[in-house]
Amino acid sequence: MNIVILGASALATAQRLQVLYPQAVIHGLRGRADGAERHYDEFGEHLRALYRAGQPLVVLCAAGIVIRSLAALLAEKGAEPPVLALAEDGSAVVPLLGGLAGVNRLAREIAAHLGVTPAITTSGELRFGTCLLEPPAGYALADLQQGKRFVSDLLGGETVRIEGQAPWLEAAQLPVDNTANRVIHITAQARPAQPEELLIHPRCAAALIECSGTDLPSRLQQALSSANLAPQALAVLLADKTWMANADLHAAAQALNLPLRFIHSTSALPAEHHIGDGLRLLLNEQPLDIERLGQRRGRLSVVGL
């Protein structure tokens, strides 16, 4: 995350926010914000560079300045990083862009930390208490464009029924009717969404890799297809701890944008669902808690010799 300030008057609020997000970097205008960690010379150019990099932005200035700076870059809604405007004194939190990238969630976190109320304006989230187009961790939307039409129908007065298990939907204020034509379907199955259906995939599958190689991504895709599992349902790659330094394995995880975890035993893993070429697909009844599966690759820091 990047916290961008224009002058020293916003530094105290930026530092309060950094307590909530310790990895965040404070960017300040050179000559006007000496306490910042990084400095820039031109506000608009710097803001656009961070936006193009897809990094979350919390900008401590008037919302209008942020909008004018980024206006020329606004094209694809699904590709926007979260962008928020924050009053210099922390009195107002306004999510501007990135509704499908968690901007409202960030706004609520920041507002709770600062003791204020976030300015949430997303109609679907205000009406239903949840953003159907941005499911929480553990779930993935199958088709964004169809999802937009589906939410529009609900806002227009259509009712909906829910098929499958999703506790976060049970807590929402959706217009539920068990006889409704519109349906939210929670399934790991790979299939096209029907015209009056919102298809959401629980991330409940894991791939246990038994044979690495540069062709691993293609073998994995073939196994998912053979098992009739949606790619979005795959939550993690697993491998034996002796493979921690395997370059092909790490390259595959990066290419597939999946976490890679290393296990000492297969005893606590989900049930086997399908055997592929050099791998096994495991399927859980609920979304997987990745942190409970094995361990990630460690890091070695040399402090001194």
Side-chain angles (χ1 to χ4, degrees):
M1 174 180 289
N2 297 284
I3 304 169
V4 183
I5 63 176
L6 282 167
S9 58
L11 184 59
T13 301
Q15 290 172 337
R16 286 177 64 194
L17 188 57
Q18 204 173 34
V19 173
L20 179 61
Y21 303 113
Q23 302 303 317
V25 177
I26 299 175
H27 301 247
L29 183 61
R30 194 180 309 278
R32 290 181 54 184
D34 294 337
E37 296 159 310
R38 295 183 188 174
H39 292 90
Y40 59 87
D41 296 306
E42 204 283 315
F43 176 80
E45 180 180 336
H46 188 68
L47 206 62
R48 287 187 288 273
L50 293 174
Y51 181 89
R52 290 190 187 99
Q55 302 182 21
L57 291 169
V58 181
V59 192
L60 277 71
C61 69
I65 301 174
V66 181
I67 293 169
R68 286 192 293 273
S69 297
L70 298 179
L73 303 182
L74 307 184
E76 177 52 53
K77 181 177 180 181
E80 294 171 352
V83 180
L84 303 96
L86 179 61
E88 285 191 353
D89 61 357
S91 61
V93 182
V94 185
L96 298 176
L97 299 168
L100 304 181
V103 71
N104 288 339
R105 174 181 51 79
L106 288 175
R108 288 192 170 93
E109 290 177 356
I110 292 170
H113 181 69
L114 298 176
V116 298
T117 301
I120 305 295
T121 59
T122 306
S123 55
E125 191 157 346
L126 290 172
R127 179 89 64 86
F128 308 132
T130 188
C131 181
L132 292 174
L133 301 182
E134 192 217 350
Y139 298 87
L141 189 65
D143 187 329
L144 175 60
Q145 295 305 318
Q146 186 166 20
K148 292 177 183 179
R149 294 191 296 271
F150 189 91
V151 172
S152 179
D153 289 344
L154 296 190
L155 290 171
E158 293 287 348
T159 56
V160 65
R161 69 183 193 274
I162 301 172
E163 296 184 3
Q165 295 183 351
W168 58 281
L169 287 178
E170 296 173 5
Q173 294 86 49
L174 293 169
V176 174
D177 180 349
N178 292 333
T179 64
N181 290 326
R182 302 296 190 280
V183 57
I184 299 175
H185 203 133
I186 313 297
T187 178
Q189 182 183 10
R191 61 172 177 78
Q194 300 303 308
E196 297 181 344
E197 175 187 51
L198 183 68
L199 189 59
I200 297 177
H201 299 300
R203 299 179 66 81
C204 56
L208 177 59
I209 310 303
E210 297 176 326
C211 178
S212 183
T214 56
D215 63 338
L216 178 57
S218 61
R219 286 190 284 119
L220 187 54
Q221 295 298 335
Q222 180 58 50
L224 289 168
S225 178
S226 299
N228 198 32
L229 290 177
Q232 297 95 324
L234 185 60
V236 63
L237 300 184
L238 303 173
D240 187 87
K241 61 182 177 61
T242 58
W243 287 22
M244 279 192 182
N246 186 288
D248 290 335
L249 200 54
H250 288 281
Q254 184 174 11
L256 295 167
N257 194 27
L258 287 171
L260 176 59
R261 307 285 292 190
F262 297 93
I263 58 174
H264 297 258
S265 167
T266 60
S267 60
L269 296 181
E272 185 177 291
H273 180 72
H274 175 81
I275 299 177
D277 181 6
L279 59 92
R280 297 174 185 268
L281 293 179
L282 315 177
L283 195 63
N284 200 42
E285 293 183 358
Q286 302 293 332
L288 291 168
D289 184 349
I290 305 303
E291 294 303 316
R292 292 181 177 273
L293 290 174
Q295 65 184 90
R296 59 172 59 91
R297 183 181 183 180
R299 294 182 60 186
L300 173 65
S301 299
V302 179
V303 178
L305 297 175

